[in-house]
Amino acid sequence: MISGMLTGILFARTFSGVIATVLGWHAVYGLAALINLILVIFIHRWVPDDPRTPVQSKRYSTIISSLPKLLKKYRYLRSSSLNAFCMFGITNLFWSTLAFFLVKYFNYNSAVAGNMGLLGIVSIFAAPFIGQMVNRYLPRVNITISWWLGVGACVIFSIFTHSIYLLMAGIVILDLSTQFSQVTNQAIIQSLSRKSNSRNNSIFMFSYFLGGSLGTLVGINAWSAFGWSGVMISAVIFLAVALMNFFLGVPRKLK
C-alpha cells in the first residue's frame, strides 16, 4: 500500500513537471481535477463494499468527534503523528522549492525537476527491505535511521549546491528517510488497538499530509525571503522538532 502511494507521488512529480513545461502550471491543476473526477467514478463503480458487519452502528459525526479522544489517549499515536508530520514536512519543503533551485544553480526547467522524482524509484524497491527492518529491529532504531538519513540529505543539499550528482544522491537519501519514517510509524500505530486502528490511521495520515502542506508553505515563503539558505534552515527546524519528539515519545518496542 505504501509503495503504491509513493509510486503515485513519484510519477506525479515527473508528469506534472513535463505538463508544466509544455502547457504551463495552470494545466497541471486542471488535469489533476479531471483525473480526480475520473477516479471518483471508478471508485464508485468498482471498489467493493466492506463485507464486515460493524459491531455497533456509529454516525460519521460520532466517529470524527472521537478522534481527539484517541489522540489524547495514545501517547505513541501522538509521537508517531508528529514524527511523520516533521519528516514529510522536510520532504515537501525540498520538493516545493526544487524547481527554483534548479533554475538558479543549473538553469534547468521544471521538466528536469519533475524527472528528478524518478530517483524515488530506489525507495520503492527498498520498501520490502525497510519492512524487514521494521519487523526485525525496535521502532527507536528505525526512527533513528530515518532521522539521520534526513540529516544526511540536508547536509548534502546545504553544502554541495553545485553538484547535480550529489543533489541526486541527496534526493535518494531523503526519499529513504521518508520511507523509513512512514513504514515504522504505521507499524507503531497499527499495534496500538485493533478496535480503533482505522481511526488511529486517520489521525496519523491527517498529520502526515498536514506536515507536507506546511512544508510546502514554509518552503515557498522561505525561498522567497531568504533563498536556499532559508529552506535549509527551515529543514533544520523540522529535524529539531522530530529529535525532541524522539526523546519524548517513541516506543522501545511494538506491542
Side-chain angles (χ1 to χ4, degrees), residues 40-41 61 64 69 87 97 113 217 231 233 244:
V40 167
I41 298 173
S61 59
I64 294 300
K69 298 176 183 177
M87 302 312 293
T97 55
L217 178 64
V231 174
I233 291 172
M244 289 187 289

Side-chain angles (χ1 to χ4, degrees), residues 42-61:
F42 273 84
I43 290 171
H44 178 71
R45 290 184 61 87
W46 284 289
V47 173
D49 294 327
D50 191 340
R52 297 173 297 178
T53 302
V55 177
Q56 53 183 342
S57 177
K58 289 186 178 181
R59 297 176 59 185
Y60 182 72
S61 59

Side-chain angles (χ1 to χ4, degrees), residues 4 26 30-31 44 50 56 74 81 85 96 105 107 119 123 131 146 163 194 207 223 226 235:
H26 289 87
L31 187 59
H44 178 71
D50 191 340
Q56 53 183 342
Y74 294 112
S81 297
F85 177 96
S96 64
Y105 289 97
N107 199 31
L119 294 169
S123 65
S146 169
S163 173
R194 290 187 177 274
S207 180
W223 175 271
F226 306 105

